Amino acid sequence: MEIMNKLKIIAMLVLACLMTVSCEDILDDNVNPDKAHSINVQVALPVVVFYAQQINYDHAEYYNYFSQFLTTGGKSSVGAYSYKCEWEMLTMNRHPQWRRHFYDIGVNAKNLIQYSQDIGSPNYELIARTIRLMSTQLTTDAFGDMPRSQAYLSNSPAYDTQASIYEWMFQEADELISLYESPEYAQNEHNLVIDKTQDRVYAGDLEKWKGLVYAIKARLLLRNIPNVDRSAAMCQKIIAAADAAINQWRKGDLLYGSWFGNEPRYNFDGGTGTENCVWSLSKPVINSWESRSNLLDNAIPSKYFMVDVLGISAPDNERFCGTYNGGTASSFQGYANDPRCVLLMIPRTGPQSPSNTAASVIKMRYLENNIGMSTSYKIANYPNLYMGAYAGQPEGYNPIFTMEELYFIKAEALYWLGDKAGACALAKEATEHNIERHLDFFLKKYPNPNYNENTDNKYPGQCTVSGTPGYTQAQYWEGQMNSFLNNEEYYTYTYKPDGSINKATLRVPKVTDRGNKHWFFNPSEYTLSDLMIQKYVAMVYQPEMWTDMRRYHYSNNRNNYGIGDANEIIYPNLRRPYNLYAAYWIDGLTETQKENTWIQRLNYDPETEEKYNRSELQRLGAYKNYKWLQEPMIWAHDYGEVTSLSGK
């Protein structure tokens, strides 16, 4: 492990920097790319808080591709960023998630905890430990076994088992909750004031940070489902933790309204560099090497996401597929069954279809994962992905944890308890507000210059040839919402002079009459697939997309992996990417084996671990071994193989 060549160097750097290192120095340190950032007490907290959102981004940036939401225009079987395409991970130079946890968060949080104890201000310690807990969860769920107990005691620390790490995380969560509730910590008279300049998430409000501990605990407990512990007792524990987080974030002054409450958002101010939102068009990176830029300008939404998840318009019609209203003359169906399609991306002009490249039309285009564009298409023909609440603008925000995720955690536990109607209601509420999250951005970012208060024509409509959003009236947007959420039709009427109805015109048909003909919120026929697909959309640009798919074994119609007593298929039309690296994912496998062979974890950071801790990789069987990428996490084995996340 890359801890430093000698422990005394760490101590010397810390002492030397106690009174001299500024936040700017930390974020712009490019003297030694393998040197841990060192901090002093005055600037420690803002740095740790900044990296809390950054590690969330680091994981999500990979997982958008692993979970088949995004793809690229190429079809290479060997690429610089293998997570985007062919999964040939062993030759990648480094994974930013590893450094982010062990150095930018790990070393700095370790020092911050010590500084907090030295000056007798435990509020800093609580926040540092909360962020360290979240970082540990994200990192072990990406890599599995890793250093923890000996992480900063040796140049080559032993790797802890994932089971022991889970045991520690559960213990740490419970201890943190008790400390947040202890006046000796949370109301200590010696606690220094923490303002927004130090804590850009909560300005030092410990009650709000406590909510994040409950949320992390709920996420950890959810790892029991569906493979470890499906019992009613476990489901109740999950529900209790989710409720505790929800209630905690709806106390006191609410930062983001009555529904989103006080979920943790890292807000950006715009400007340059790390002041820009990580998902925005500015594509900020740290030190030009320490993180991956989002590269959404070269990304393309997958066919799976557009057709099977969002329900793109006229999916079986080559000419009208992905067009506004799907080629119908008088309806207002939008671009897809799911109204979020036009909130997450902007369609662009390009060839009408593969067989008619001469004609030009505005469409929501997509590709199969890693199949590659045809020669008639360019990346500029595919949707502009710099839209939505996260990816829309430099002055945006990056959530550390969302209220929607808590609702879906609770809904999943309810489903496994047998309360399908309750699960459906929660998932529907979370989805409605996830739409609201992205719509709020649209209404602020793109006000209609020709607004008419009589028709309230400010909502997302038919986009223009110039590549900018278009607008529609409130009645048609609400019709699309009701169609998607409630499977209702929307009619407009003309009236006779006496006020009686003269004629009714169907303007927005219900979803079961268009697109993919599926209503995701049918309480009488609600399925686990309905729940998890809607969570998938709500988790766009969040790390849980990939974790959920791994928990459910990438269950689809090809691998026929049924879940639970009813053998439910969770992601029906999901498929492995084309042009996977044959030596790892194709050669020597039967067709059945191929369909069940998916990427399960990241290989340990090649830039550091293969240099500093090769013996541990060899002990685990992970050193330059592509089969390690296929090893499931402790929570993703077949049901019954693992009976406790902590190994006890």
Side-chain angles (χ1 to χ4, degrees):
M1 221 187 114
E2 181 195 3
I3 298 305
M4 296 285 278
N5 287 335
K6 294 186 180 295
L7 290 176
K8 69 167 64 175
I9 296 179
I10 296 181
M12 291 173 63
L13 283 170
V14 171
L15 290 172
C17 295
L18 275 175
M19 300 302 297
T20 60
V21 178
S22 70
C23 187
E24 182 179 359
D25 293 329
I26 292 160
L27 298 183
D28 293 331
D29 176 10
N30 59 9
V31 175
N32 179 357
D34 288 328
K35 179 171 72 68
H37 292 316
S38 299
I39 56 179
N40 65 29
V41 66
Q42 285 79 17
V43 301
L45 184 59
V47 174
V48 173
V49 173
F50 170 81
Y51 282 122
Q53 68 79 30
Q54 187 66 35
I55 195 170
N56 194 72
Y57 163 79
D58 290 330
H59 286 275
E61 203 276 323
Y62 274 44
Y63 303 169
N64 278 294
Y65 296 91
F66 284 159
S67 58
Q68 314 302 288
F69 160 41
L70 296 178
T71 186
T72 64
K75 56 180 179 180
S76 172
S77 61
V78 179
Y81 297 142
S82 300
Y83 57 93
K84 296 177 183 286
C85 43
E86 80 287 345
W87 301 349
E88 196 287 287
M89 306 294 293
L90 301 187
T91 58
M92 285 191 65
N93 182 46
R94 70 162 72 220
H95 300 306
Q97 300 90 336
W98 189 263
R99 177 190 173 88
R100 201 74 62 229
H101 173 66
F102 284 105
Y103 306 102
D104 299 324
I105 291 177
V107 171
N108 289 335
K110 177 177 178 290
N111 290 337
L112 178 54
I113 292 167
Q114 184 62 57
Y115 298 155
S116 177
Q117 294 170 353
D118 290 345
I119 65 175
S121 182
N123 50 346
Y124 286 92
E125 177 183 347
L126 289 176
I127 298 173
R129 287 175 63 177
T130 298
I131 291 172
R132 183 180 65 179
L133 173 62
M134 182 192 73
S135 179
T136 302
Q137 174 262 305
L138 289 169
T139 309
T140 190
D141 285 344
F143 296 96
D145 298 1
M146 66 183 196
R148 192 201 65 78
S149 58
Q150 299 180 24
Y152 302 102
L153 301 178
S154 166
N155 288 341
S156 302
Y159 279 37
D160 295 73
T161 65
Q162 191 172 34
S164 69
I165 293 170
Y166 260 84
E167 181 180 17
W168 175 84
M169 289 192 294
F170 283 122
Q171 291 173 350
E172 179 74 351
D174 288 339
E175 182 174 333
L176 276 171
I177 290 169
S178 67
L179 293 178
Y180 273 108
E181 294 173 350
S182 168
E184 183 180 349
Y185 271 72
Q187 289 89 41
N188 190 296
E189 62 180 344
H190 300 295
N191 277 343
L192 299 180
V193 174
I194 299 173
D195 61 19
K196 196 69 175 179
T197 64
Q198 296 182 65
D199 173 8
R200 294 170 68 95
V201 177
Y202 287 140
D205 190 328
L206 297 183
E207 281 295 293
K208 294 179 176 66
W209 279 110
K210 182 168 67 174
L212 181 57
V213 181
Y214 279 122
I216 295 167
K217 182 177 180 179
R219 184 189 279 173
L220 291 171
L221 287 168
L222 186 68
R223 300 292 189 261
N224 283 283
I225 296 176
N227 306 306
V228 180
D229 184 354
R230 307 172 180 172
S231 68
M234 178 54 65
C235 290
Q236 293 291 359
K237 288 180 181 179
I238 295 167
I239 292 169
D243 277 339
I246 292 168
N247 294 335
Q248 194 69 26
W249 282 340
R250 290 191 177 145
K251 287 181 179 179
D253 295 332
L254 301 181
L255 297 172
Y256 307 114
S258 61
W259 198 86
F260 295 104
N262 293 312
E263 67 173 23
R265 300 178 184 178
Y266 190 94
N267 296 285
F268 295 82
D269 291 337
T272 59
T274 54
E275 296 175 4
N276 286 319
C277 184
V278 287
W279 287 111
S280 70
L281 183 59
S282 58
K283 304 189 298 181
V285 295
I286 303 170
N287 295 330
S288 77
W289 62 270
E290 212 184 286
S291 61
R292 312 271 186 225
S293 71
N294 60 63
L295 298 182
L296 290 179
D297 51 347
N298 285 305
I300 297 172
S302 73
K303 179 181 179 182
Y304 172 72
F305 184 70
M306 297 291 270
V307 175
D308 301 302
V309 174
L310 296 184
I312 203 75
S313 62
D316 300 320
N317 187 312
E318 184 183 83
R319 181 182 175 188
F320 294 112
C321 178
T323 60
Y324 190 72
N325 297 332
T328 57
S330 59
S331 72
F332 289 84
Q333 301 178 30
Y335 287 99
N337 288 351
D338 193 324
R340 283 169 292 190
C341 183
V342 75
L343 294 174
L344 292 170
M345 60 195 82
I346 304 172
R348 285 174 169 157
T349 303
Q352 183 182 74
S353 67
S355 61
N356 184 7
T357 58
S360 183
V361 68
I362 303 171
K363 273 190 174 187
M364 290 284 191
R365 295 175 180 81
Y366 50 81
L367 277 179
E368 291 272 20
N369 288 84
N370 209 35
I371 199 171
M373 296 183 293
S374 73
T375 56
S376 301
Y377 288 81
K378 301 177 181 178
I379 195 72
N381 302 142
Y382 292 89
N384 176 357
L385 293 168
Y386 289 109
M387 273 286 283
Y390 309 149
Q393 58 184 336
E395 303 86 355
Y397 64 91
N398 185 26
I400 296 176
F401 206 109
T402 70
M403 189 65 78
E404 293 98 315
E405 182 179 345
L406 286 172
Y407 268 65
F408 277 107
I409 287 173
K410 183 177 178 180
E412 193 176 339
L414 282 177
Y415 190 94
W416 283 95
L417 270 177
D419 185 1
K420 296 182 180 180
C424 179
L426 281 175
K428 183 177 178 180
E429 183 178 349
T431 300
E432 182 177 6
H433 287 283
N434 187 246
I435 296 171
E436 176 192 333
R437 180 193 294 275
H438 297 294
L439 179 63
D440 283 347
F441 162 79
F442 179 90
L443 296 176
K444 292 175 184 176
K445 179 69 174 179
Y446 298 106
N448 187 352
N450 300 309
Y451 179 69
N452 184 331
E453 63 179 7
N454 294 323
T455 59
D456 198 10
N457 61 333
K458 61 185 178 182
Y459 293 88
Q462 185 170 10
C463 297
T464 68
V465 70
S466 63
T468 58
Y471 303 93
T472 193
Q473 298 178 27
Q475 60 178 323
Y476 300 133
W477 175 258
E478 291 165 3
Q480 292 171 34
M481 289 279 289
N482 283 328
S483 171
F484 175 61
L485 293 170
N486 304 314
N487 200 32
E488 294 178 352
E489 298 170 326
Y490 173 72
Y491 290 86
T492 55
Y493 305 89
T494 57
Y495 297 91
K496 297 178 181 179
D498 62 3
S500 61
I501 295 175
N502 186 38
K503 183 180 181 182
T505 303
L506 177 63
R507 307 311 296 266
V508 184
K510 54 189 179 182
V511 292
T512 50
D513 290 338
R514 62 190 179 98
N516 60 13
K517 297 181 172 61
H518 185 75
W519 179 29
F520 284 100
F521 306 102
N522 186 344
S524 64
E525 299 178 6
Y526 196 60
T527 68
L528 190 56
S529 175
D530 292 329
L531 192 160
M532 296 309 298
I533 287 177
Q534 287 310 302
K535 184 182 180 185
Y536 176 86
V537 184
M539 291 294 98
V540 163
Y541 303 124
Q542 293 292 302
E544 283 297 279
M545 292 179 77
W546 186 42
T547 300
D548 288 339
M549 279 197 165
R550 290 179 291 163
R551 279 196 299 122
Y552 282 100
H553 304 275
Y554 296 92
S555 168
N556 64 74
N557 290 335
R558 290 179 171 83
N559 63 19
N560 202 33
Y561 197 108
I563 303 294
D565 295 337
N567 287 315
E568 291 191 59
I569 299 298
I570 309 302
Y571 306 103
N573 292 314
L574 181 70
R575 58 158 299 137
R576 296 200 318 165
Y578 286 86
N579 300 302
L580 288 175
Y581 188 61
Y584 296 0
W585 307 99
I586 305 295
D587 295 348
L589 299 177
T590 66
E591 290 303 313
T592 299
Q593 289 172 330
K594 289 176 189 175
E595 295 300 341
N596 284 283
T597 304
W598 293 72
I599 190 163
Q600 301 288 345
R601 63 176 69 208
L602 300 182
N603 54 307
Y604 296 108
D605 189 41
E607 181 63 23
T608 60
E609 299 310 283
E610 293 181 9
K611 292 180 180 179
Y612 300 102
N613 215 358
R614 183 179 300 181
S615 61
E616 277 296 277
L617 303 191
Q618 292 171 332
R619 179 182 67 81
L620 292 172
Y623 180 64
K624 294 189 181 300
N625 179 12
Y626 70 89
K627 290 191 175 182
W628 186 253
L629 304 173
Q630 303 167 8
E631 275 293 311
M633 294 294 164
I634 192 172
W635 34 259
H637 288 265
D638 289 339
Y639 180 57
E641 289 184 6
V642 175
T643 57
S644 170
L645 289 174
S646 65
K648 294 184 177 180

